């Protein structure tokens, strides 16, 4: 079965510490990969996608095809980074579900002062 | 206008009621989606409309009935819901099926 795994339900770090939110996927081919973020009382929004290779709010994510991972990293966490983070692959050729986002279970990041 | 709007924000309904959720976008997006999100869970895809045609129905019970009157509007008609259908219902839109999805704020539905 095609799926995405975010092994940490909760990740708690101190301000200024590095943070890595893990994401592994099991898809054949080359899926498009996204990270979505949901801040408290805000709507779900795109953080970044691997194809753009951007750094957004200091976050980066590298696609590692060998490990089938798309971990999200930031060298120095800030309190405002506290949120729920979802890894979400989209497989362009996944049968009838072409183009669907499949959300991982999410990791709640808590950055303490 | 770069937002997806949803109405109402909150809805409480009995199991015999009929109600509708509405979603609107004016970004010219051709794909629109309904998701269901239970507390502390990720969004689960319910329906996908592509060019105003239903392309995906993820085995959703018939008490949920989607409708796409035009390219800017998406409705979700509710009838004879169960208490376990209580959740946050999210609407999203995207330019294409593999593009960034823009989410609305959701409708918090409570079924009594």
């Amino acid at each position: 079965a095609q799926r995405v795994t975010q092994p940490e339900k909760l990740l708690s770090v101190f301000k200024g510490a590095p943070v890595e939110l893990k994401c592994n996927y099991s898809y054949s081919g080359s899926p498009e990969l996204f990270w979505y973020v949901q801040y408290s009382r805000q709507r779900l929004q795109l953080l970044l996608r691997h194809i753009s290779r951007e750094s957004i709010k200091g976050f980066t994510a590298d696609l590692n095809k060998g490990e089938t991972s798309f971990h999200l990293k930031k060298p120095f966490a800030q309190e405002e980074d506290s949120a729920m983070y979802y890894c979400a692959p989209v497989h362009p050729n996944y049968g009838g579900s072409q183009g669907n986002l499949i959300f991982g279970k999410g990791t709640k990041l808590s950055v303490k002062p | 206008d770069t937002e997806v709007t949803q109405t109402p924000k909150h809805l409480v309904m009995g199991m015999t009621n009929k109600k509708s959720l509405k979603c609107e976008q004016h970004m010219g997006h051709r794909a629109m989606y309904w998701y269901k999100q239970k507390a502390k869970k990720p969004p689960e895809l319910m329906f996908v409309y592509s060019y105003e045609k239903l392309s995906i129905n993820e085995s959703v019970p018939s008490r949920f009935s989607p409708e796409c009157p035009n390219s800017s509007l998406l409705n979700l008609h509710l009838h004879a819901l169960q208490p376990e259908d209580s959740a946050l219902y999210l609407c999203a839109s995207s330019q294409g099926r593999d593009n960034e999805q823009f989410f609305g704020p959701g409708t918090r539905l409570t079924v009594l």
Side-chain angles (χ1 to χ4, degrees):
Chain A
Q2 307 204 18
R3 64 177 188 273
V4 55
T5 304
Q6 292 181 251
E8 302 124 338
K9 205 171 180 179
L10 174 65
L11 186 61
S12 186
V13 301
F14 286 101
K15 177 183 172 182
V19 64
E20 180 179 65
L21 290 82
K22 292 185 168 56
C23 173
N24 288 88
Y25 63 92
S26 61
Y27 284 78
S28 57
S30 299
E32 178 75 35
L33 288 149
F34 298 80
W35 275 99
Y36 279 80
V37 61
Q38 195 166 29
Y39 300 101
S40 179
R41 297 191 188 88
Q42 293 188 30
R43 64 185 69 194
L44 192 60
Q45 59 188 286
L46 178 70
L47 179 63
L48 55 80
R49 59 190 293 182
H50 93 270
I51 198 170
S52 63
R53 299 186 181 277
E54 291 176 307
S55 172
I56 306 293
K57 299 184 179 182
F59 284 96
T60 57
D62 291 322
L63 174 61
N64 185 323
K65 290 187 180 180
E67 295 181 359
T68 60
S69 68
F70 189 52
H71 303 327
L72 185 67
K73 300 177 184 178
K74 184 169 182 176
F76 307 103
Q78 304 299 314
E79 290 180 69
E80 56 266 28
D81 296 328
S82 296
M84 180 67 84
Y85 291 80
Y86 293 102
C87 181
V90 169
H91 200 292
N93 296 309
Y94 178 33
S97 299
Q98 179 180 347
N100 287 356
L101 272 179
I102 307 296
F103 287 92
K105 291 189 176 181
T107 297
K108 185 173 182 180
L109 175 64
S110 175
V111 182
K112 299 180 179 180
Chain B
D1 187 352
T2 58
E3 278 200 345
V4 175
T5 58
Q6 289 187 244
T7 55
K9 285 187 178 178
H10 301 275
L11 179 62
V12 179
M13 60 186 291
M15 290 190 284
T16 58
N17 292 157
K18 281 186 181 180
K19 296 286 183 183
S20 297
L21 309 185
K22 295 186 186 302
C23 173
E24 193 165 359
Q25 58 90 11
H26 295 286
M27 294 178 277
H29 290 170
R30 304 319 299 258
M32 295 186 76
Y33 312 78
W34 279 115
Y35 292 86
K36 175 182 177 180
Q37 187 176 25
K38 300 282 273 185
K40 298 184 180 180
K41 298 288 185 184
E44 295 177 14
L45 184 65
M46 299 175 72
F47 300 105
V48 180
Y49 272 83
S50 184
Y51 288 87
E52 300 161 49
K53 289 187 177 358
L54 182 64
S55 60
I56 298 289
N57 173 343
E58 292 284 354
S59 303
V60 179
S62 60
R63 56 186 184 268
F64 295 91
S65 175
E67 179 198 15
C68 189
N70 59 56
S71 60
S72 300
L73 293 173
L74 188 65
N75 298 322
L76 186 63
H77 302 298
L78 315 172
H79 175 54
L81 294 195
Q82 304 296 310
E84 60 264 28
D85 296 322
S86 298
L88 182 68
Y89 287 84
L90 297 171
C91 175
S93 71
S94 64
Q95 184 62 42
R97 291 288 300 281
D98 59 352
N99 294 112
E100 172 186 0
Q101 291 188 21
F102 291 79
F103 284 82
T107 292
R108 178 75 60 189
L109 174 67
T110 302
V111 182
L112 300 176

